Amino acid sequence: MDSTATIIFIIAAFSLGIVIIMQRNSIPASMRRGLAIAAIVFIAFAFFLIVYSLATMGT
């Protein structure tokens, strides 16, 4: 597994979540739910990647 790509994805996923939280008042209501769901999916996958990389660290 390429650790550089994983780290970039994790940083991007958390950054997207932070931007959506900070700018929630300026996002149109029609896009707000879709962006929130996408951010939740990305952050959940980023957590999975963190746990997976910690579990396979010794191998």
Side-chain angles (χ1 to χ4, degrees):
M1 182 188 315
D2 186 21
S3 62
T4 305
T6 304
I7 292 171
I8 291 172
F9 176 77
I10 291 168
I11 292 170
F14 284 108
S15 298
L16 175 65
I18 290 170
V19 167
I20 289 175
I21 289 172
M22 292 178 68
Q23 299 296 321
R24 66 181 173 263
N25 293 331
S26 62
I27 298 173
S30 60
M31 292 179 60
R32 197 174 297 153
R33 181 178 300 239
L35 284 174
I37 291 172
I40 289 170
V41 169
F42 289 153
I43 292 171
F45 188 64
F47 272 122
F48 168 76
L49 289 176
I50 292 169
V51 171
Y52 179 77
S53 67
L54 288 175
T56 60
M57 189 179 295
T59 60

